[in-house]
């Protein structure tokens, strides 16, 4: 009885201890060789391997417990110049690859901080990419010439001022899908102003395309005949801004209004702006495009979110010639020289009296050598082959004309 009670008490401490009480015994048993095995060189080697595994596990556990700052501190790679340039090329940092050595030397000399060095490289890379994009978009725009809004002479315009174009020089012009029709006679600066607005859109980060109305209509008409109209439309509906120059200058095919309407309607639905230049009034677009209804539909969509601007003033191409005063100095049509009873020339010029080879020449002229005559009823000349006639006396008898057959003149020149 007593032995059973003592056995029960001897078992309880081991139960209360649980795994903790068994842990040292298990470790001790694992460390000591079995009693049944003989302690030889082989068993000693196995025991040393077990101890080595245990030591390695303890070392791994201790290495995992190192502070996180040591784990996050990377080892600085030692790269050659060739390897560094290869990494920059892989990241497409073209400008940084070209200037980093020079900038690094400057940074060391001027004792820049790491932050200033990085900021300088990033700023140069961004500026280079912006300039590259600007050049690429300008080339793709196919402008007939390069003009800016600063080069436009607003002093020649009676009503147009730069402040009136403020909304077309900012990004809202594209975001809100505003369109514009520039109307005026030749040489008033319509294309210049359209190119300037298109280039400003490129500066704001938008893609622009410039094309003449004749080229656009011809391309789309040919594509429509081949059944590829939808594919061809992408060329003119994809860019953010579309410039259609010289509407009405040339004649178009019968389907001009049809193909142009496809472009205008698609861009209208996508809120993509368009700029048109024309020398024709809006009421004449129906005749130009050969369809009054489609022309009205085109103008309705363009002007819903757009404006119509008329450009006046003198021509920018021939303004230096002062053609207005020149027309005032010309004599009246009734006072101009009449040849063979036909209408007087629009721009009379003096005739060289010493030029003999001309089929029709002036042999004698009054003082001053002018061909202008003041007689009211000049006697008409009678033309006959191989003969010369002299005009009879008249109020213009001071002028002596010789009419010679062209064949005779050529023969005389050959003999001479």
């Amino acid at each position: 009885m007593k032995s059973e009670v003592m056995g029960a008490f001897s078992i309880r401490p081991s139960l209360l201890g649980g795994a903790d009480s068994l842990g040292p015994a298990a470790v001790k048993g694992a460390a000591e060789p079995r009693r049944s095995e003989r302690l030889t060189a082989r068993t000693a080697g196995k025991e040393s391997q077990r101890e080595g595994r245990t030591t390695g596990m303890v070392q791994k556990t201790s290495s995992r417990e190192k502070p996180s700052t040591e784990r996050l501190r990377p080892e600085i790679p030692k790269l050659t110049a060739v390897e560094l340039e290869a990494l920059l090329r892989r990241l497409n940092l073209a400008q940084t690859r070209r200037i980093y050595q020079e900038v690094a030397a400057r940074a060391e000399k001027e004792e820049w901080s790491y932050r200033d060095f990085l900021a300088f490289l990033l700023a140069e890379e961004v500026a280079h990419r912006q300039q590259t994009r600007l050049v690429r978009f300008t080339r793709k725009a196919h402008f007939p010439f390069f003009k800016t809004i600063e080069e436009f002479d607003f002093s020649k315009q009676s009503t147009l001022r730069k402040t009136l174009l403020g909304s077309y020089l900012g990004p809202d012009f594209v975001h809100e899908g505003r369109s514009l029709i520039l109307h005026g006679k030749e040489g008033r600066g319509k294309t210049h102003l359209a190119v300037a607005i298109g280039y400003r859109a490129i500066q704001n980060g938008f893609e622009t395309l410039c094309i003449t109305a004749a080229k656009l209509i011809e391309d789309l008409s040919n594509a429509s005949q081949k059944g590829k109209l939808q594919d061809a439309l992408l060329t003119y509906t994809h860019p953010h801004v579309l410039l259609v120059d010289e509407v009405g200058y040339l004649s178009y095919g019968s389907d001009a209004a049809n193909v142009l309407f496809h472009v205008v309607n698609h861009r209208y639905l996508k809120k993509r702006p368009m700029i048109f230049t024309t020398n024709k009034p809006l009421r004449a677009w129906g005749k130009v495009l050969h369809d009054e209804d489609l022309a009205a539909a085109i103008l309705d969509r363009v002007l819903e979110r757009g404006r119509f601007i008329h450009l006046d003033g003198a021509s920018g191409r021939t303004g230096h010639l002062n053609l207005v005063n020149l027309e005032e100095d010309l004599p009246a049509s009734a006072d101009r020289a009449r040849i063979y009873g036909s209408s007087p020339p629009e721009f009379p010029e003096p005739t060289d009296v010493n030029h003999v080879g001309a089929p029709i020449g002036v042999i004698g002229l009054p003082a001053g050598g002018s061909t202008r005559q003041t007689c009211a009823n000049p006697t008409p000349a009678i033309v006959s082959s191989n003969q010369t006639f002299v005009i009879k006396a008249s109020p213009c008898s001071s002028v002596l004309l010789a009419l010679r057959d062209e064949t005779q003149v050529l023969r005389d020149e050959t003999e001479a």
Side-chain angles (χ1 to χ4, degrees):
M1 187 70 177
K2 184 176 180 180
S3 61
E4 293 178 0
V5 174
M6 293 299 293
F9 280 99
S10 64
I11 295 173
R12 185 174 297 176
S14 62
L15 294 175
L16 293 174
D20 295 336
S21 60
L22 295 176
V27 174
K28 184 178 179 180
E32 295 179 355
R34 295 181 182 179
R35 298 297 181 185
S36 59
E37 295 181 0
R38 294 178 59 188
L39 187 59
T40 61
R42 184 177 181 181
T43 55
K46 292 182 179 180
E47 294 300 329
S48 63
Q49 290 179 1
R50 292 176 185 175
E51 291 177 1
R53 293 195 200 99
T54 306
T55 306
M57 293 177 61
V58 174
Q59 290 179 355
K60 290 181 180 179
T61 305
S62 62
S63 63
R64 293 174 184 170
E65 295 176 355
K66 288 183 179 181
S68 59
T69 56
E70 295 183 3
R71 295 199 307 268
L72 295 177
R73 186 180 300 168
E75 184 178 354
I76 300 176
K78 296 181 180 180
L79 302 176
T80 63
V82 177
E83 294 173 342
L84 186 57
E85 289 189 3
L87 293 177
L88 293 174
R89 188 181 292 106
R90 184 175 182 181
L91 295 174
N92 295 325
L93 300 175
Q95 182 67 3
T96 303
R97 181 169 53 87
R98 282 189 288 265
I99 68 172
Y100 81 93
Q101 293 181 344
E102 180 182 353
V103 175
R106 179 183 174 186
E108 292 178 359
K109 182 178 179 180
E110 299 179 4
E111 297 181 353
W112 290 2
S113 64
Y114 296 125
R115 183 181 182 277
D116 294 340
F117 176 70
L118 178 62
F120 186 88
L121 289 178
L122 292 177
E124 287 294 321
E125 185 67 32
V126 171
H128 174 73
R129 292 192 177 189
Q130 289 179 347
Q131 182 64 26
T132 303
R133 178 191 55 78
L134 191 65
V135 173
R136 185 175 68 256
F137 279 12
T138 303
R139 188 182 297 112
K140 290 176 61 177
H142 300 294
F143 292 131
F145 47 77
F146 180 76
K147 293 290 184 179
T148 62
I149 194 66
E150 289 75 18
E151 299 178 80
F152 189 82
D153 189 1
F154 287 91
S155 62
K156 295 182 179 180
Q157 303 296 322
S158 61
T159 57
L160 180 61
R161 295 295 178 267
K162 185 177 180 180
T163 54
L164 299 178
L165 297 174
S167 59
Y168 289 89
L169 301 178
D172 292 341
F173 161 58
V174 180
H175 292 154
E176 299 179 6
R178 301 174 183 175
S179 295
L180 183 64
I181 297 179
L182 299 174
H183 170 263
K185 295 182 178 179
E186 62 281 352
R188 267 56 180 182
K190 303 183 296 296
T191 306
H192 179 165
L193 198 58
V195 169
I197 296 175
Y199 180 69
R200 181 60 64 89
I202 292 177
Q203 290 179 311
N204 292 329
F206 302 104
E207 189 175 354
T208 303
L209 175 63
C210 179
I211 190 171
T212 62
K215 184 70 168 60
L216 182 147
I217 292 173
E218 181 182 4
D219 290 348
L220 294 181
S221 297
N222 294 336
S224 178
Q225 295 174 2
K226 298 177 182 178
K228 299 180 180 180
L229 179 61
Q230 296 302 322
D231 295 337
L233 283 174
L234 294 176
T235 304
Y236 307 106
T237 58
H238 174 72
H240 297 95
V241 181
L242 178 65
L243 274 63
V244 183
D245 195 22
E246 300 178 351
V247 177
Y249 279 70
L250 301 176
S251 59
Y252 312 123
S254 58
D255 60 341
N258 184 29
V259 296
L260 184 59
F261 177 79
H262 280 85
V263 177
V264 173
N265 187 59
H266 188 280
R267 298 187 65 87
Y268 165 77
L269 296 176
K270 298 294 183 180
K271 285 191 174 182
R272 296 201 164 182
M274 296 164 284
I275 301 177
F276 294 89
T277 66
T278 181
N279 62 344
K280 295 292 190 295
L282 299 184
R283 62 177 179 273
W285 279 39
K287 183 178 180 181
V288 170
L289 300 176
H290 310 294
D291 194 315
E292 296 285 348
D293 296 334
L294 281 180
I298 290 172
L299 292 174
D300 184 66
R301 285 161 172 77
V302 172
L303 295 177
E304 178 181 346
R305 294 186 297 265
R307 292 177 58 187
F308 176 86
I309 296 180
H310 175 71
L311 282 74
D312 53 10
S315 172
R317 299 189 183 95
T318 59
H320 63 286
L321 297 178
N322 198 11
L323 295 179
V324 177
N325 296 335
L326 181 61
E327 289 293 334
E328 293 177 355
D329 295 339
L330 291 176
S333 59
D335 297 334
R336 299 179 186 178
R338 299 179 63 86
I339 300 177
Y340 302 142
S342 61
S343 300
E346 185 178 359
F347 300 102
E349 297 180 358
T351 305
D352 188 3
V353 298
N354 297 322
H355 184 65
V356 184
I360 301 176
V362 179
I363 295 179
L365 287 176
S370 174
T371 58
R372 186 179 301 175
Q373 302 185 22
T374 56
C375 57
N377 299 314
T379 304
I382 304 175
V383 181
S384 177
S385 61
N386 300 327
Q387 296 185 16
T388 301
F389 293 89
V390 178
I391 302 177
K392 296 182 180 180
S394 67
C396 299
S397 59
S398 60
V399 180
L400 184 64
L401 298 178
L403 304 179
R404 186 173 299 172
D405 184 77
E406 184 176 358
T407 307
Q408 184 65 31
V409 171
L410 294 176
R411 184 182 300 109
D412 294 342
E413 290 181 352
T414 305
E415 294 175 357

